[in-house]
Amino acid sequence: MSDQDDSAIDDSHQTALHEAGRLLFSKPWDFVLGVAHLDQLTDADGMEIAFAGRSNVGKSSLINALVGQKALARTSNTPGRTQQLNVFTTDAPLTIVDMPGYGYAKAPLPTVEAWNRLIKRYLQGRPNLARVFVLVDSRHGLKDNDKEIFDLLDKSAVSYQIILTKTDKLKPGQIEKVRDNVLNGLLKRPAAHPEVLITSSVEQSGLSQVRAAVAELLEQQGFIRFE
Ligand SMILES: Nc1nc2c(ncn2[C@@H]2O[C@H](COP(=O)(O)OP(=O)(O)O)[C@@H](O)[C@H]2O)c(=O)[nH]1
Ligand SMILES: [Mg+2]
């Protein structure tokens, strides 16, 4: 087969993934429950993905932008308010979990400890968890508590991928620098997916790439197939 044929197949596969991702996220998504204790969480039907990140990183905004629903995940200007795992489903073999934000400076120690316990147990006990998307504010880059969650994910052998948020706040040229810095920080991390996604919920950019990444995971897990 010629190189040209190969790249035509790659292109049509990419197009199929983007279309599958678009359809998946345009379904009516519902909030099912919020749990503060893991035993309240039932086993996921199909595949599960989770979104994690420091509080105020833009997690709720991104989830809302991905599904095109303004208030699915509550956005809030008050950091540290979401202290539970919030679970979203639709009529597809995919569950989305919004993890509680970390690194809120004013959070009391018992809250931080409860968070750590919940997250550790969640990450170690979810066989259907295909990937954790860790959101990083493109203006701030990687922080120590991002690295702590990477350590935990590496130790738990849970695949994770970085999504840069709020890139509308950066000047042209800065985004690539931040992305390369982040990629450098991931080099020796076995569970890190070596591709960084670049998004802005305000500009609605990069959303299609995130949706396609999720569709690709569903394909890898055998939940969707392309002819
Ligand atoms: N400029 C900009 N601001 C954003 C973006 N996404 C979220 N924000 C703002 O960042 C703040 C925190 O967002 P939120 O989604 O609640 O963050 P969460 O705590 O991670 O869920 C809010 O004031 C949002 O309006 C973005 O893409 N661009
Ligand atoms: Mg939130």
Side-chain angles (χ1 to χ4, degrees), residues 42-223:
T42 50
D43 285 345
D45 220 3
M47 188 182 96
E48 186 162 287
I49 56 166
F51 290 88
R54 291 160 55 82
S55 70
N56 226 28
V57 70
K59 207 150 43 76
S60 301
S61 303
L62 182 71
I63 293 172
N64 288 340
L66 287 170
V67 297
Q69 296 175 225
K70 279 204 172 101
L72 181 67
R74 236 177 344 139
T75 55
S76 153
N77 288 318
T78 315
R81 196 182 263 175
T82 339
Q83 296 295 351
Q84 49 186 20
L85 296 163
N86 290 311
V87 181
F88 307 101
T89 59
T90 190
D91 63 335
L94 177 68
T95 298
I96 294 178
V97 173
D98 183 7
M99 290 169 69
Y102 49 88
Y104 177 45
K106 289 185 193 150
L109 192 60
T111 307
V112 175
E113 285 171 346
W115 185 93
N116 282 329
R117 269 198 307 277
L118 178 65
I119 295 315
K120 259 190 201 158
R121 292 186 51 209
Y122 170 73
L123 293 177
Q124 288 166 353
R126 299 299 282 174
N128 297 354
L129 180 61
R131 182 165 295 167
V132 176
F133 291 94
V134 184
L135 276 55
V136 172
D137 191 322
S138 58
R139 296 169 302 177
H140 306 318
L142 298 183
K143 298 282 184 188
D144 283 347
N145 39 24
D146 293 317
K147 293 172 189 165
E148 280 166 26
I149 192 124
F150 296 168
D151 288 344
L152 194 57
L153 287 157
D154 283 322
K155 225 164 50 188
S156 314
V158 174
S159 163
Y160 58 99
Q161 181 165 12
I162 312 309
I163 299 180
L164 290 178
T165 63
K166 309 191 189 183
T167 55
D168 55 285
K169 292 280 194 187
L170 296 193
K171 296 198 189 79
Q174 281 184 313
I175 298 176
E176 288 69 26
K177 255 189 212 155
V178 177
R179 185 198 51 205
D180 292 348
N181 277 340
V182 169
L183 279 170
N184 264 328
L186 298 175
L187 282 178
K188 291 189 177 144
R189 295 192 168 273
H193 186 74
E195 189 191 353
V196 171
L197 295 165
I198 291 169
T199 66
S200 160
S201 300
V202 165
E203 290 179 340
Q204 304 263 302
S205 61
L207 303 178
S208 169
Q209 282 77 3
V210 178
R211 297 183 190 116
V214 176
E216 188 167 26
L217 288 168
L218 280 168
E219 184 191 24
Q220 285 165 3
Q221 307 275 328
F223 289 108

Side-chain angles (χ1 to χ4, degrees), residues 9-10 12-18 20-21 24 47 93-94 130 211-227:
I9 288 171
D10 284 352
S12 71
H13 186 229
Q14 278 305 316
T15 306
L17 288 174
H18 279 253
L24 185 64
M47 188 182 96
L94 177 68
R211 297 183 190 116
V214 176
E216 188 167 26
L217 288 168
L218 280 168
E219 184 191 24
Q220 285 165 3
Q221 307 275 328
F223 289 108
I224 51 176
R225 281 178 60 189
F226 304 108
E227 295 314 319

